[in-house]
Amino acid sequence: MPHSVIPIGHVRSCFKEKFAIPRQPQLAPAATGVLELLPPFDTGEAVEGLEQVSHVWLIFLFHQALEDRPRLKVRPPRLGGNRSLGVFATRATHRPNGIGQSAVKLEKVEPGRLWLSGIDLLDGTPVIDIKPYVPYADIVADAHNAIADAPPAPISVHWSDEALRQAHEHALRLGQPVRELIEQCLAQDPRPAYQKPPPERRYGVRLWDLDVHWHYPADGEIRVLDLARGEG
Ligand code: SAM
């Protein structure tokens, strides 16, 4: 029985590209965004009572990973990209119907707007439903998952003096925890597992309106080189 779904809103997120987004929510508490609700959900009625809730489940579309032909096997980056698993054993973005789910912190509720943190969502992500997190039902004390048994081990993030100064300056301008956001995202090492770059190779990503650059001076170590307001 085909059934169509329509977005109830879109997330305006700190993440302007897929690279360096944490693999799951809560891994970067400084990652914030706003869910802007669409009519008829934007009047306040649909979110009445939600201010009593600390976290919500967002059900959304992986709009930048939608495909016509469903995949049965995927290669999760977590396993280095060279081992394949059944799609339903993973939280891969390429999946039937392209539906994702994230439990995120609800910072503030306004008519038509939800302020969120700890997100793992790309800017512009269409949200198709919101549900309150229910701790007594959603926390499964004896749950286990041998494929993903712990968050990625963090690697150490260092800063050039210039980058640190820029982070402070842009944090004030944006009213956002820029330094924490960069550290929390880069500590999870966004580069593909198979890449062993030479120290001169620069990596970059857009967070908010900032182009952030870093390199790997030694194995297991990141140094933030600079960040500047990008164009566009
Ligand atoms: N927590 C969700 C889940 O389990 O369904 C998402 C997990 S998925 C492994 C997280 C990755 O999805 C992020 O690292 C980011 O690269 C990617 N992503 C986030 N929003 C997306 C979007 N709208 N379209 C495509 N990919 C997206």
mmCIF file of all heavy atoms in Angstrom, residues 178-213:
data_model
loop_
_atom_site.group_PDB
_atom_site.id
_atom_site.type_symbol
_atom_site.label_atom_id
_atom_site.label_comp_id
_atom_site.label_asym_id
_atom_site.label_seq_id
_atom_site.Cartn_x
_atom_site.Cartn_y
_atom_site.Cartn_z
ATOM 1 N N VAL A 178 31.375 27.892 19.169
ATOM 2 C CA VAL A 178 32.116 27.486 17.967
ATOM 3 C C VAL A 178 33.297 26.567 18.316
ATOM 4 O O VAL A 178 33.512 25.533 17.671
ATOM 5 C CB VAL A 178 32.597 28.745 17.205
ATOM 6 C CG1 VAL A 178 33.567 28.382 16.100
ATOM 7 C CG2 VAL A 178 31.394 29.480 16.620
ATOM 8 N N ARG A 179 34.064 26.946 19.341
ATOM 9 C CA ARG A 179 35.230 26.121 19.694
ATOM 10 C C ARG A 179 34.792 24.705 20.085
ATOM 11 O O ARG A 179 35.368 23.714 19.627
ATOM 12 C CB ARG A 179 35.984 26.776 20.858
ATOM 13 C CG ARG A 179 37.154 25.948 21.293
ATOM 14 C CD ARG A 179 37.906 26.568 22.444
ATOM 15 N NE ARG A 179 38.967 25.664 22.860
ATOM 16 C CZ ARG A 179 39.891 25.960 23.730
ATOM 17 N NH1 ARG A 179 39.918 27.150 24.292
ATOM 18 N NH2 ARG A 179 40.808 25.073 24.064
ATOM 19 N N GLU A 180 33.764 24.614 20.918
ATOM 20 C CA GLU A 180 33.293 23.304 21.377
ATOM 21 C C GLU A 180 32.759 22.488 20.197
ATOM 22 O O GLU A 180 33.019 21.283 20.092
ATOM 23 C CB GLU A 180 32.186 23.476 22.434
ATOM 24 C CG GLU A 180 32.649 24.060 23.749
ATOM 25 C CD GLU A 180 32.774 25.591 23.738
ATOM 26 O OE1 GLU A 180 32.642 26.211 22.652
ATOM 27 O OE2 GLU A 180 33.020 26.171 24.805
ATOM 28 N N LEU A 181 32.036 23.158 19.300
ATOM 29 C CA LEU A 181 31.480 22.443 18.143
ATOM 30 C C LEU A 181 32.603 21.824 17.305
ATOM 31 O O LEU A 181 32.557 20.644 16.930
ATOM 32 C CB LEU A 181 30.652 23.409 17.284
ATOM 33 C CG LEU A 181 30.096 22.833 15.987
ATOM 34 C CD1 LEU A 181 29.083 21.729 16.265
ATOM 35 C CD2 LEU A 181 29.444 23.929 15.130
ATOM 36 N N ILE A 182 33.627 22.627 17.021
ATOM 37 C CA ILE A 182 34.735 22.132 16.200
ATOM 38 C C ILE A 182 35.445 20.990 16.923
ATOM 39 O O ILE A 182 35.726 19.934 16.336
ATOM 40 C CB ILE A 182 35.708 23.288 15.865
ATOM 41 C CG1 ILE A 182 35.005 24.304 14.957
ATOM 42 C CG2 ILE A 182 36.987 22.771 15.226
ATOM 43 C CD1 ILE A 182 35.781 25.590 14.719
ATOM 44 N N GLU A 183 35.716 21.182 18.209
ATOM 45 C CA GLU A 183 36.441 20.131 18.947
ATOM 46 C C GLU A 183 35.626 18.841 19.007
ATOM 47 O O GLU A 183 36.160 17.752 18.776
ATOM 48 C CB GLU A 183 36.771 20.604 20.365
ATOM 49 C CG GLU A 183 37.917 21.593 20.344
ATOM 50 C CD GLU A 183 38.378 22.042 21.719
ATOM 51 O OE1 GLU A 183 37.728 21.688 22.718
ATOM 52 O OE2 GLU A 183 39.391 22.762 21.773
ATOM 53 N N GLN A 184 34.335 18.964 19.280
ATOM 54 C CA GLN A 184 33.513 17.753 19.431
ATOM 55 C C GLN A 184 33.380 17.012 18.095
ATOM 56 O O GLN A 184 33.370 15.779 18.063
ATOM 57 C CB GLN A 184 32.130 18.122 19.989
ATOM 58 C CG GLN A 184 32.196 18.594 21.434
ATOM 59 C CD GLN A 184 30.929 19.296 21.903
ATOM 60 O OE1 GLN A 184 29.917 19.322 21.209
ATOM 61 N NE2 GLN A 184 30.982 19.887 23.092
ATOM 62 N N CYS A 185 33.282 17.763 17.004
ATOM 63 C CA CYS A 185 33.142 17.093 15.692
ATOM 64 C C CYS A 185 34.474 16.509 15.219
ATOM 65 O O CYS A 185 34.529 15.376 14.746
ATOM 66 C CB CYS A 185 32.588 18.054 14.644
ATOM 67 S SG CYS A 185 30.901 18.534 15.006
ATOM 68 N N LEU A 186 35.553 17.274 15.354
ATOM 69 C CA LEU A 186 36.832 16.785 14.837
ATOM 70 C C LEU A 186 37.403 15.665 15.704
ATOM 71 O O LEU A 186 38.106 14.783 15.203
ATOM 72 C CB LEU A 186 37.841 17.929 14.712
ATOM 73 C CG LEU A 186 37.481 19.026 13.696
ATOM 74 C CD1 LEU A 186 38.678 19.927 13.440
ATOM 75 C CD2 LEU A 186 36.965 18.452 12.385
ATOM 76 N N ALA A 187 37.103 15.667 17.005
ATOM 77 C CA ALA A 187 37.615 14.612 17.893
ATOM 78 C C ALA A 187 37.131 13.234 17.446
ATOM 79 O O ALA A 187 37.723 12.213 17.779
ATOM 80 C CB ALA A 187 37.193 14.877 19.332
ATOM 81 N N GLN A 188 36.042 13.221 16.674
ATOM 82 C CA GLN A 188 35.544 11.928 16.173
ATOM 83 C C GLN A 188 36.196 11.538 14.853
ATOM 84 O O GLN A 188 35.821 10.548 14.235
ATOM 85 C CB GLN A 188 34.028 12.007 16.024
ATOM 86 C CG GLN A 188 33.372 12.098 17.392
ATOM 87 C CD GLN A 188 31.938 12.516 17.304
ATOM 88 O OE1 GLN A 188 31.187 11.916 16.582
ATOM 89 N NE2 GLN A 188 31.588 13.556 18.039
ATOM 90 N N ASP A 189 37.152 12.335 14.427
ATOM 91 C CA ASP A 189 37.937 12.089 13.215
ATOM 92 C C ASP A 189 37.087 11.806 11.976
ATOM 93 O O ASP A 189 36.819 10.648 11.639
ATOM 94 C CB ASP A 189 38.923 10.938 13.436
ATOM 95 C CG ASP A 189 40.008 10.978 12.377
ATOM 96 O OD1 ASP A 189 39.950 11.865 11.493
ATOM 97 O OD2 ASP A 189 40.910 10.134 12.432
ATOM 98 N N PRO A 190 36.676 12.889 11.294
ATOM 99 C CA PRO A 190 35.761 12.709 10.156
ATOM 100 C C PRO A 190 36.371 12.050 8.925
ATOM 101 O O PRO A 190 35.636 11.609 8.057
ATOM 102 C CB PRO A 190 35.333 14.140 9.827
ATOM 103 C CG PRO A 190 36.260 15.052 10.526
ATOM 104 C CD PRO A 190 36.958 14.291 11.602
ATOM 105 N N ARG A 191 37.703 11.951 8.846
ATOM 106 C CA ARG A 191 38.280 11.410 7.591
ATOM 107 C C ARG A 191 37.902 9.932 7.445
ATOM 108 O O ARG A 191 37.767 9.210 8.449
ATOM 109 C CB ARG A 191 39.795 11.612 7.579
ATOM 110 C CG ARG A 191 40.569 10.508 8.192
ATOM 111 C CD ARG A 191 41.991 10.854 8.444
ATOM 112 N NE ARG A 191 42.249 10.431 9.815
ATOM 113 C CZ ARG A 191 43.418 10.028 10.276
ATOM 114 N NH1 ARG A 191 44.482 10.084 9.533
ATOM 115 N NH2 ARG A 191 43.543 9.635 11.530
ATOM 116 N N PRO A 192 37.752 9.460 6.189
ATOM 117 C CA PRO A 192 37.480 8.043 5.982
ATOM 118 C C PRO A 192 38.573 7.188 6.617
ATOM 119 O O PRO A 192 39.749 7.575 6.603
ATOM 120 C CB PRO A 192 37.499 7.905 4.451
ATOM 121 C CG PRO A 192 37.284 9.276 3.931
ATOM 122 C CD PRO A 192 37.837 10.233 4.940
ATOM 123 N N ALA A 193 38.169 6.040 7.170
ATOM 124 C CA ALA A 193 39.092 5.219 7.965
ATOM 125 C C ALA A 193 40.350 4.819 7.185
ATOM 126 O O ALA A 193 41.411 4.655 7.760
ATOM 127 C CB ALA A 193 38.362 3.983 8.456
ATOM 128 N N TYR A 194 40.210 4.654 5.834
ATOM 129 C CA TYR A 194 41.352 4.167 5.059
ATOM 130 C C TYR A 194 42.364 5.271 4.749
ATOM 131 O O TYR A 194 43.458 5.012 4.280
ATOM 132 C CB TYR A 194 40.858 3.534 3.751
ATOM 133 C CG TYR A 194 40.000 4.462 2.926
ATOM 134 C CD1 TYR A 194 40.565 5.409 2.079
ATOM 135 C CD2 TYR A 194 38.612 4.401 3.013
ATOM 136 C CE1 TYR A 194 39.772 6.273 1.348
ATOM 137 C CE2 TYR A 194 37.817 5.255 2.291
ATOM 138 C CZ TYR A 194 38.400 6.195 1.460
ATOM 139 O OH TYR A 194 37.613 7.066 0.760
ATOM 140 N N GLN A 195 42.026 6.556 4.992
ATOM 141 C CA GLN A 195 42.938 7.638 4.614
ATOM 142 C C GLN A 195 44.012 7.876 5.663
ATOM 143 O O GLN A 195 43.707 8.077 6.830
ATOM 144 C CB GLN A 195 42.159 8.941 4.406
ATOM 145 C CG GLN A 195 41.658 9.093 2.996
ATOM 146 C CD GLN A 195 40.908 10.407 2.788
ATOM 147 O OE1 GLN A 195 41.076 11.356 3.549
ATOM 148 N NE2 GLN A 195 40.084 10.441 1.770
ATOM 149 N N LYS A 196 45.268 7.840 5.230
ATOM 150 C CA LYS A 196 46.394 8.165 6.120
ATOM 151 C C LYS A 196 47.122 9.349 5.481
ATOM 152 O O LYS A 196 48.110 9.174 4.773
ATOM 153 C CB LYS A 196 47.351 6.953 6.246
ATOM 154 C CG LYS A 196 46.678 5.720 6.836
ATOM 155 C CD LYS A 196 46.572 5.772 8.374
ATOM 156 C CE LYS A 196 45.756 4.634 8.931
ATOM 157 N NZ LYS A 196 44.414 5.003 9.402
ATOM 158 N N PRO A 197 46.620 10.560 5.701
ATOM 159 C CA PRO A 197 47.139 11.706 4.944
ATOM 160 C C PRO A 197 48.508 12.179 5.435
ATOM 161 O O PRO A 197 48.820 12.058 6.618
ATOM 162 C CB PRO A 197 46.091 12.784 5.243
ATOM 163 C CG PRO A 197 45.546 12.421 6.583
ATOM 164 C CD PRO A 197 45.596 10.929 6.666
ATOM 165 N N PRO A 198 49.309 12.730 4.515
ATOM 166 C CA PRO A 198 50.562 13.353 4.941
ATOM 167 C C PRO A 198 50.236 14.637 5.708
ATOM 168 O O PRO A 198 49.155 15.219 5.516
ATOM 169 C CB PRO A 198 51.264 13.670 3.619
ATOM 170 C CG PRO A 198 50.173 13.738 2.606
ATOM 171 C CD PRO A 198 49.075 12.831 3.075
ATOM 172 N N PRO A 199 51.155 15.111 6.586
ATOM 173 C CA PRO A 199 50.862 16.262 7.436
ATOM 174 C C PRO A 199 50.504 17.524 6.651
ATOM 175 O O PRO A 199 49.780 18.383 7.153
ATOM 176 C CB PRO A 199 52.154 16.484 8.223
ATOM 177 C CG PRO A 199 52.935 15.245 8.079
ATOM 178 C CD PRO A 199 52.469 14.522 6.860
ATOM 179 N N GLU A 200 50.976 17.642 5.398
ATOM 180 C CA GLU A 200 50.699 18.878 4.646
ATOM 181 C C GLU A 200 49.291 18.885 4.046
ATOM 182 O O GLU A 200 48.822 19.911 3.565
ATOM 183 C CB GLU A 200 51.762 19.128 3.561
ATOM 184 C CG GLU A 200 51.882 18.092 2.470
ATOM 185 C CD GLU A 200 52.770 16.908 2.856
ATOM 186 O OE1 GLU A 200 53.115 16.774 4.047
ATOM 187 O OE2 GLU A 200 53.101 16.108 1.956
ATOM 188 N N ARG A 201 48.601 17.773 4.082
ATOM 189 C CA ARG A 201 47.253 17.752 3.497
ATOM 190 C C ARG A 201 46.261 18.472 4.408
ATOM 191 O O ARG A 201 46.116 18.152 5.580
ATOM 192 C CB ARG A 201 46.804 16.305 3.275
ATOM 193 C CG ARG A 201 45.352 16.232 2.908
ATOM 194 C CD ARG A 201 44.999 15.104 2.012
ATOM 195 N NE ARG A 201 43.572 15.197 1.700
ATOM 196 C CZ ARG A 201 42.828 14.200 1.299
ATOM 197 N NH1 ARG A 201 43.387 13.023 1.112
ATOM 198 N NH2 ARG A 201 41.552 14.347 1.052
ATOM 199 N N ARG A 202 45.569 19.465 3.819
ATOM 200 C CA ARG A 202 44.577 20.239 4.576
ATOM 201 C C ARG A 202 43.179 19.686 4.335
ATOM 202 O O ARG A 202 42.826 19.386 3.201
ATOM 203 C CB ARG A 202 44.593 21.709 4.105
ATOM 204 C CG ARG A 202 45.702 22.552 4.685
ATOM 205 C CD ARG A 202 45.857 23.817 3.872
ATOM 206 N NE ARG A 202 44.729 24.735 3.979
ATOM 207 C CZ ARG A 202 44.646 25.731 4.846
ATOM 208 N NH1 ARG A 202 45.616 25.932 5.718
ATOM 209 N NH2 ARG A 202 43.612 26.543 4.855
ATOM 210 N N TYR A 203 42.431 19.572 5.390
ATOM 211 C CA TYR A 203 41.020 19.195 5.292
ATOM 212 C C TYR A 203 40.175 20.414 5.622
ATOM 213 O O TYR A 203 40.640 21.318 6.336
ATOM 214 C CB TYR A 203 40.685 18.079 6.285
ATOM 215 C CG TYR A 203 41.189 16.715 5.887
ATOM 216 C CD1 TYR A 203 42.535 16.388 6.012
ATOM 217 C CD2 TYR A 203 40.322 15.751 5.394
ATOM 218 C CE1 TYR A 203 43.000 15.127 5.652
ATOM 219 C CE2 TYR A 203 40.774 14.490 5.034
ATOM 220 C CZ TYR A 203 42.115 14.195 5.161
ATOM 221 O OH TYR A 203 42.565 12.951 4.799
ATOM 222 N N GLY A 204 38.944 20.438 5.136
ATOM 223 C CA GLY A 204 38.080 21.575 5.438
ATOM 224 C C GLY A 204 36.623 21.181 5.501
ATOM 225 O O GLY A 204 36.206 20.180 4.920
ATOM 226 N N VAL A 205 35.859 21.974 6.240
ATOM 227 C CA VAL A 205 34.419 21.766 6.309
ATOM 228 C C VAL A 205 33.748 23.095 6.628
ATOM 229 O O VAL A 205 34.360 23.981 7.230
ATOM 230 C CB VAL A 205 34.063 20.704 7.384
ATOM 231 C CG1 VAL A 205 34.206 21.227 8.809
ATOM 232 C CG2 VAL A 205 32.658 20.156 7.167
ATOM 233 N N ARG A 206 32.491 23.232 6.189
ATOM 234 C CA ARG A 206 31.708 24.432 6.513
ATOM 235 C C ARG A 206 30.814 24.131 7.719
ATOM 236 O O ARG A 206 29.996 23.212 7.684
ATOM 237 C CB ARG A 206 30.873 24.814 5.280
ATOM 238 C CG ARG A 206 29.807 25.868 5.467
ATOM 239 C CD ARG A 206 30.283 27.304 5.491
ATOM 240 N NE ARG A 206 31.067 27.779 4.380
ATOM 241 C CZ ARG A 206 30.604 28.549 3.381
ATOM 242 N NH1 ARG A 206 29.327 28.873 3.331
ATOM 243 N NH2 ARG A 206 31.401 28.998 2.452
ATOM 244 N N LEU A 207 30.998 24.896 8.802
ATOM 245 C CA LEU A 207 30.123 24.829 9.984
ATOM 246 C C LEU A 207 29.544 26.225 10.171
ATOM 247 O O LEU A 207 30.297 27.208 10.188
ATOM 248 C CB LEU A 207 30.911 24.420 11.233
ATOM 249 C CG LEU A 207 31.543 23.017 11.212
ATOM 250 C CD1 LEU A 207 32.468 22.822 12.409
ATOM 251 C CD2 LEU A 207 30.462 21.937 11.205
ATOM 252 N N TRP A 208 28.236 26.340 10.342
ATOM 253 C CA TRP A 208 27.573 27.647 10.264
ATOM 254 C C TRP A 208 28.047 28.338 8.989
ATOM 255 O O TRP A 208 28.023 27.713 7.937
ATOM 256 C CB TRP A 208 27.828 28.492 11.525
ATOM 257 C CG TRP A 208 27.228 27.893 12.769
ATOM 258 C CD1 TRP A 208 27.882 27.426 13.877
ATOM 259 C CD2 TRP A 208 25.823 27.670 13.040
ATOM 260 N NE1 TRP A 208 26.993 26.931 14.798
ATOM 261 C CE2 TRP A 208 25.731 27.062 14.322
ATOM 262 C CE3 TRP A 208 24.649 27.903 12.336
ATOM 263 C CZ2 TRP A 208 24.502 26.712 14.897
ATOM 264 C CZ3 TRP A 208 23.427 27.548 12.909
ATOM 265 C CH2 TRP A 208 23.367 26.968 14.171
ATOM 266 N N ASP A 209 28.542 29.572 9.086
ATOM 267 C CA ASP A 209 29.053 30.210 7.862
ATOM 268 C C ASP A 209 30.585 30.221 7.833
ATOM 269 O O ASP A 209 31.196 31.023 7.134
ATOM 270 C CB ASP A 209 28.490 31.636 7.734
ATOM 271 C CG ASP A 209 28.917 32.533 8.904
ATOM 272 O OD1 ASP A 209 29.583 32.050 9.843
ATOM 273 O OD2 ASP A 209 28.579 33.737 8.865
ATOM 274 N N LEU A 210 31.182 29.283 8.598
ATOM 275 C CA LEU A 210 32.640 29.278 8.735
ATOM 276 C C LEU A 210 33.288 28.145 7.951
ATOM 277 O O LEU A 210 32.834 27.005 8.028
ATOM 278 C CB LEU A 210 33.014 29.107 10.211
ATOM 279 C CG LEU A 210 32.545 30.206 11.150
ATOM 280 C CD1 LEU A 210 32.733 29.780 12.596
ATOM 281 C CD2 LEU A 210 33.309 31.488 10.848
ATOM 282 N N ASP A 211 34.344 28.465 7.222
ATOM 283 C CA ASP A 211 35.155 27.422 6.593
ATOM 284 C C ASP A 211 36.293 27.093 7.552
ATOM 285 O O ASP A 211 37.146 27.940 7.825
ATOM 286 C CB ASP A 211 35.686 27.903 5.244
ATOM 287 C CG ASP A 211 34.567 27.971 4.208
ATOM 288 O OD1 ASP A 211 33.620 27.162 4.305
ATOM 289 O OD2 ASP A 211 34.608 28.858 3.329
ATOM 290 N N VAL A 212 36.273 25.874 8.061
ATOM 291 C CA VAL A 212 37.236 25.443 9.086
ATOM 292 C C VAL A 212 38.269 24.529 8.425
ATOM 293 O O VAL A 212 37.896 23.613 7.684
ATOM 294 C CB VAL A 212 36.502 24.659 10.215
ATOM 295 C CG1 VAL A 212 37.483 24.243 11.303
ATOM 296 C CG2 VAL A 212 35.349 25.467 10.780
ATOM 297 N N HIS A 213 39.556 24.782 8.684
ATOM 298 C CA HIS A 213 40.619 23.941 8.097
ATOM 299 C C HIS A 213 41.462 23.301 9.186
ATOM 300 O O HIS A 213 41.746 23.931 10.198
ATOM 301 C CB HIS A 213 41.522 24.790 7.189
ATOM 302 C CG HIS A 213 40.802 25.314 5.998
ATOM 303 N ND1 HIS A 213 40.510 26.642 5.826
ATOM 304 C CD2 HIS A 213 40.264 24.661 4.936
ATOM 305 C CE1 HIS A 213 39.821 26.789 4.692
ATOM 306 N NE2 HIS A 213 39.663 25.610 4.149
#
